[in-house]
Amino acid sequence: MQPTLRRMLSEPAFRVVLLTASDRLDDPLSWVSSSDLADPSPFLLPDQFVLTTGLQFQAVSGQGDYDDYVARLAASGVVGIGFGTEVITTGTPPGLLEACRVQGMALVEVPYDVPFVAIITWAAREIAREAAARDEWALSAQQAISLAAVSGGGVSAAMRETARQLEGVVLLYDADGEFVEQHPAARIADRVLDAAQADVRALLARGRRAGASQTVGGREVVVQTLGRGDRPLGAVALVLDAPLDAPGRAVMMTGTSLVEVGRERDAVDSAALGALGAHAVRLLSRGESTLAASLLTQATRAGAADIGAVDPSSSVVVLVCTGTTATVDEVRRRLQRTARTATHTRLAAILDGELVAVASPDGEQWLRRAAEGAVAGLSAPHPIDRFEVAVQEARAALAKARAAAERDGEGAVIGFADTSAGRLLDVLADSGLPAVARLRLAEVRSTEEGEESVRLAALWFEHGCRWEAAAEAAGMHRHSLRTRVERLAARLDLDLESFPARAELWALLSLS
């Protein structure tokens, strides 16, 4: 227990007497010092108790000198003044008594036969005893937090024990600065929560390990980021009733470090779960929805986090999102944060840098909200055995979303139903077939004559394959047009009398 004026007054050996009232009798003393300087304030630390024999008051000319002396000590944060009687003066000077009374400074009268060194030694001993007790508490608290973290409770257990030991509230935020959990579930003023989250996001935006503290609404808010700058894991915020001392900071750092270790482990687990999710998406692509559902169910029963779920009898909508790694990861984390509110079928996985997310049709808004601000395409609903069709539709919509994002300079989430009427061609255009079409026509287009034949064939299709109308638009005889187009088809080994051949030529021209 730290020394205070009240404790000193209760020590029978000192026989000191309190002469003036003060509201700082229970404030911990940082030290007790002795000085007869007229102005000892430059040499004092806050929360000290100053002993004096009054030598400096021999030259005072009036009450104003006493007032100035006490005012200087009060401005330095001094808790109280101890006056040793019968050394220089008899009794305590009335001017000093009046100055302390007016300014609310505690004035203690110390008898002649009580050495100042006895009071100083008592305070030093009590301060050292308190420091040893705090160090012992800090060691015990660190051990308790460590035991909680390694006993199977992980991050949540480390947070709970840290909050208990520091008698505060611990808040956890993810790498996007979004709230994850709180221990204990105490009510915290909104302005305190807002300040904590603002600090978290500002520190995470720096891209390096950092910490901050501030006082908000009478509460101390201490924030520390987790993880490296290039791979942030989030941040921890502590809400306390008083600033932390050195042992308290040591306990806080132990708790924060163990939360960080837990988050690192969670990140490794998340990567493993991500691989399972990716495998489930591949199974759906192969039409093996029952096997995908079984895989996810077994993983959840084995104690994994809520990786997802698939109903083999349901219909699904599919969202495909691409972009920077940070963007794709952010959308995935949003989906994870809101997974419990999603419908039965829900799954999100990253394959080759591309996020593929699946939900039941009534979960479409869940997908849209998670992808807000990103560039993504969303399929129409399909039976789950047509999963690959849904993926192709989502990619076709994604192509439109990319174009919209480039045009408008901001993210876009476009549904397949919102794309143009040429939907099948959009799907083909995003499937890699344009490269095949360009390769097929490369030799033909290597000459001016061949390039002109390609233009005439496209004109023919634009006019519904009617020779007369196309020839008129081209400004040439219909026989000449037909000869040029048929010669082009022959070079591509296509017979224009066959509808499939005409369709293939149209596709080649459209996709190239």
Side-chain angles (χ1 to χ4, degrees):
M1 184 182 298
Q2 281 193 280
T4 65
L5 284 184
R6 194 179 301 280
R7 287 188 60 207
M8 185 187 73
L9 291 167
S10 66
E11 287 289 324
F14 296 154
R15 306 190 315 282
V16 293
V17 178
L18 180 65
L19 301 180
T20 59
S22 170
D23 59 3
R24 300 197 63 185
L25 296 183
D26 295 311
D27 287 4
L29 298 177
S30 63
W31 194 247
V32 173
S33 59
S34 173
S35 174
D36 287 339
L37 292 175
D39 182 13
S41 57
F43 313 104
L44 300 176
L45 294 174
D47 303 324
Q48 283 194 211
F49 180 62
V50 177
L51 294 165
T52 182
T53 62
L55 181 63
Q56 68 273 36
F57 299 136
Q58 287 185 317
V60 300
S61 58
Q63 183 62 43
D65 292 331
Y66 287 110
D67 293 341
D68 290 343
Y69 174 80
V70 175
R72 286 193 294 269
L73 267 59
S76 298
V78 168
V79 174
I81 299 171
F83 189 83
T85 62
E86 319 310 322
V87 178
I88 304 299
T89 65
T90 301
T92 301
L96 180 62
L97 181 64
E98 177 62 16
C100 289
R101 186 189 65 77
V102 170
Q103 299 198 43
M105 174 72 74
L107 179 61
V108 177
E109 190 172 81
V110 182
Y112 174 80
D113 58 349
V114 176
F116 282 179
V117 70
I119 297 176
I120 295 172
T121 301
W122 168 82
R125 185 175 60 247
E126 293 300 313
I127 290 172
R129 185 177 298 164
E130 173 64 16
R134 288 291 291 169
D135 288 341
E136 185 176 346
W137 163 81
L139 180 60
S140 175
Q142 289 168 318
Q143 290 173 339
I145 296 170
S146 301
L147 182 61
V150 301
S151 296
V155 169
S156 295
M159 290 176 62
R160 277 193 298 271
E161 190 60 28
T162 301
R164 190 179 75 83
Q165 294 292 338
L166 293 175
E167 299 181 350
V169 178
V170 181
L171 307 164
L172 178 64
Y173 299 84
D174 66 15
D176 300 318
E178 294 293 334
F179 171 78
V180 177
E181 59 181 298
Q182 169 187 327
H183 297 281
R187 176 76 175 91
I188 301 176
D190 289 342
R191 62 172 173 163
V192 175
L193 292 175
D194 291 344
Q197 189 163 46
D199 273 358
V200 166
R201 289 178 173 172
L203 293 178
L204 289 173
R206 295 182 187 177
R208 57 185 174 82
R209 197 174 177 86
S213 64
Q214 62 172 313
T215 302
V216 183
R219 309 292 296 276
E220 290 294 313
V221 180
V222 184
V223 173
Q224 176 63 54
T225 61
L226 306 173
R228 302 194 306 264
D230 60 338
R231 190 166 58 84
L233 298 171
V236 165
L238 283 87
V239 180
L240 307 163
D241 290 329
L244 291 170
D245 58 4
R249 286 194 295 272
V251 171
M252 182 202 75
M253 292 309 300
T254 295
T256 301
S257 297
L258 288 170
V259 170
E260 183 174 58
V261 169
R263 294 289 284 178
E264 288 275 9
R265 185 172 59 249
D266 290 346
V268 173
D269 292 345
S270 179
L273 293 175
L276 279 175
H279 185 51
V281 170
R282 293 189 182 96
L283 289 175
L284 291 176
S285 298
R286 297 203 299 262
E288 300 181 39
S289 57
T290 301
L291 187 55
S294 176
L295 172 68
L296 296 175
T297 300
Q298 290 179 28
T300 301
R301 287 176 179 170
D306 188 5
I307 181 175
V310 167
D311 181 356
S313 64
S314 73
S315 293
V316 296
V317 289
V318 174
L319 178 121
V320 176
C321 175
T322 60
T324 64
T325 300
T327 299
V328 171
D329 278 344
E330 182 178 350
V331 174
R332 177 181 58 83
R333 287 194 294 269
R334 289 181 194 166
L335 289 168
Q336 288 177 334
R337 283 196 295 269
T338 57
R340 290 187 179 89
T341 64
T343 50
H344 179 67
T345 293
R346 62 190 184 281
L347 178 62
I350 296 177
L351 291 81
D352 302 323
E354 181 180 75
L355 174 71
V356 179
V358 189
S360 299
D362 56 355
E364 178 179 333
Q365 291 306 313
W366 172 59
L367 296 176
R368 284 183 178 274
R369 283 193 298 270
E372 188 175 346
V375 179
L378 189 68
S379 77
H382 286 277
I384 204 166
D385 59 2
R386 291 174 58 81
F387 178 79
E388 191 57 29
V389 173
V391 171
Q392 291 298 333
E393 285 187 357
R395 287 187 175 133
L398 175 63
K400 296 292 183 181
R402 284 200 196 98
E406 291 174 1
R407 180 186 67 246
D408 302 332
E410 58 184 19
V413 181
I414 292 182
F416 185 70
D418 301 325
T419 60
S420 64
R423 291 172 185 166
L424 179 59
L425 192 59
D426 287 336
V427 175
L428 295 175
D430 201 45
S431 66
L433 288 178
V436 175
R438 287 192 293 271
L439 184 63
R440 285 282 305 277
L441 293 174
E443 185 177 352
V444 173
R445 282 179 155 166
S446 63
T447 65
E448 289 186 9
E449 180 183 356
E451 187 66 46
E452 178 65 11
S453 295
V454 168
R455 188 187 72 81
L456 293 172
L459 188 65
W460 176 57
F461 280 114
E462 286 177 14
H463 287 80
C465 298
R466 298 192 307 275
W467 296 112
E468 192 74 42
E472 184 178 348
M476 59 192 304
H477 196 277
R478 68 179 184 278
H479 292 309
S480 299
L481 174 65
R482 183 164 189 160
T483 298
R484 296 286 294 272
V485 174
E486 287 181 344
R487 188 182 301 158
L488 169 65
R491 291 188 64 180
L492 296 171
D493 197 22
L494 297 172
D495 181 4
L496 292 184
E497 296 302 317
S498 162
F499 175 77
R502 289 191 179 191
E504 183 172 346
L505 179 59
W506 172 82
L508 289 172
L509 296 174
S510 300
L511 293 170
S512 65

